[in-house]
Amino acid sequence: MSDWRSYAVRLADQLRASGDLRSPAWHAAIAETPRHVLVPTVYQPPEEFYGAFTHTRLNTAEHLELIYSTTTLVTAVAPTKDGDVVGRSSSTKPDLMVRMLETLDIREGQRILEIGTGTGYNVALLAHRLGDDHIFSVDIDPELVSTARRRLARIGRHPHLAVGDGAQGWPAHAPYDRIIATCAVRRVPWSWYEQLTLGGQLLVDFKPHGGGNLVLLERKDDRLEGRFAARFAAFMAIRQPDNPDERPPTPWQPEFALTRQRTTTTPAEPAGAMLFLRAVMSSTQLRQRYAFDQQTRRPTAVRLAAADGSCCEVDLTPAGNGTWTVREGGPTPLWREIEHDYQQWCDWGRPGWDRIGITVTPETWAVWLDEPSNLLTRPPLPC
Ligand SMILES: C[S@@+](CC[C@H](N)C(=O)[O-])C[C@H]1O[C@@H](n2cnc3c(N)ncnc32)[C@H](O)[C@@H]1O
């Protein structure tokens, strides 16, 4: 693996060419950080939808192609109580990682708290730029932390690492100028506000109802406030003592036969920003699943279910003339609600993520369009 440097430089050049990386300091960090030392093995996802992960030691020259690429490398897996196997940790794809670092406008002299140490690769990038003493990172998994500490030491890095629930931050070393979370949250923990400097920023994948995106929040006097990133990104969910399996506590099952059929002009898969707004503004919360073709294992339809057992299914293949086929069952016409909310979103000019922002206070949070004063959620939602 002695020729890893040319691969790392090539990755840094590629990230600069794609526009994900802008500053020479992050170029140097990518070009000079040996990701292969921090990620020596990987769990490769199944090719088939129902297949198993394969555990591979990355010890051949060809593996350098994979390691120094814009690929997420899954590094820990665990069974869920449903019998599935899910990724529990990964080295985030470097293009996303560096985009987040650029978004946070990190500068020399700042102190950074990372939530989700994982392999330590992001910690290594941060320590390359700011020095070990300015970097603090916590992970809930003790084995990951001790492994990351050992491997970071092997490349000469000794940042501050701890085992803990990142939702609590790391109060002992606060305040921080930046907080970067590499796991998704359903609520923005108030401890992060408390541990940021005034004007400090935090970046996190915020998913209040399952759907969401990265949001960049600034600490103001009495609140956190900011907009979503224009580009979509997704992280694995934070594990919490009350939800160790990462699954949303909404096991709604369709209880009614799909007896009504019609067509709709609302796309089967509307934009993520529209679905986010719908989820926060509507009183009917929905659980989304896909129907799969038994032969090809490809998704064929979107399925929605509500708490009252009402359900609907919309074919992913258009029925022609800009329409899709909808089948519904139960007392609540679910797709009617989506059509209504989709029309509302069109009337607002089809806002993408970057026109949507949130304001977080200790007890509430609210969603706004374009400006914090243009609140869409009245009254604000409880945290
Ligand atoms: C995408 S991985 C982190 C990637 C990492 N930054 C890297 O560079 O390799 C997400 C991590 O979040 C951690 N995590 C999950 N729940 C957590 C919690 N409550 N507190 C701290 N870390 C948590 C997981 O153990 C996992 O290692």
Side-chain angles (χ1 to χ4, degrees), residues 132-168:
D132 291 346
D133 228 24
H134 289 234
I135 309 305
F136 303 83
S137 181
V138 292
D139 201 293
I140 201 158
D141 185 325
E143 206 177 310
L144 291 177
V145 173
S146 66
T147 304
R149 182 176 284 122
R150 203 177 57 246
R151 291 180 182 152
L152 283 162
R154 211 176 290 158
I155 63 169
R157 294 274 166 228
H158 303 275
H160 303 270
L161 304 185
V163 178
D165 176 8
Q168 310 298 321

Side-chain angles (χ1 to χ4, degrees), residues 254-273:
E255 286 172 17
F256 296 92
L258 299 165
T259 50
R260 306 184 295 274
Q261 178 166 322
R262 63 187 176 87
T263 56
T264 177
T265 53
T266 298
E269 289 186 294

Side-chain angles (χ1 to χ4, degrees), residues 88-92 114-122 138-141 144 164-166 182-183 235-236 238-240:
R88 296 283 269 207
S89 189
S90 60
S91 172
T92 308
E114 182 197 44
I115 312 299
T117 313
T119 62
Y121 180 61
N122 188 42
V138 292
D139 201 293
I140 201 158
D141 185 325
L144 291 177
D165 176 8
T182 59
C183 44
F235 277 88
M236 55 181 64
I238 194 166
R239 292 198 295 278
Q240 299 270 247

Side-chain angles (χ1 to χ4, degrees), residues 307-373:
D308 69 357
S310 298
C311 46
C312 74
E313 190 172 282
V314 188
D315 288 342
L316 289 170
T317 309
N321 297 328
T323 65
W324 287 262
T325 302
V326 185
R327 292 170 290 281
E328 288 181 300
T332 313
L334 297 186
W335 199 252
R336 274 273 169 266
E337 296 199 9
I338 299 279
E339 287 170 326
H340 171 271
D341 297 338
Y342 183 78
Q343 189 52 52
Q344 166 97 85
W345 178 73
C346 293
D347 294 345
W348 286 332
R350 299 172 182 248
W353 284 110
D354 53 346
R355 285 185 56 198
I356 304 170
I358 63 170
T359 300
V360 182
T361 61
E363 281 91 34
T364 63
W365 65 281
V367 178
W368 40 267
L369 191 61
D370 298 324
E371 296 302 330
S373 57

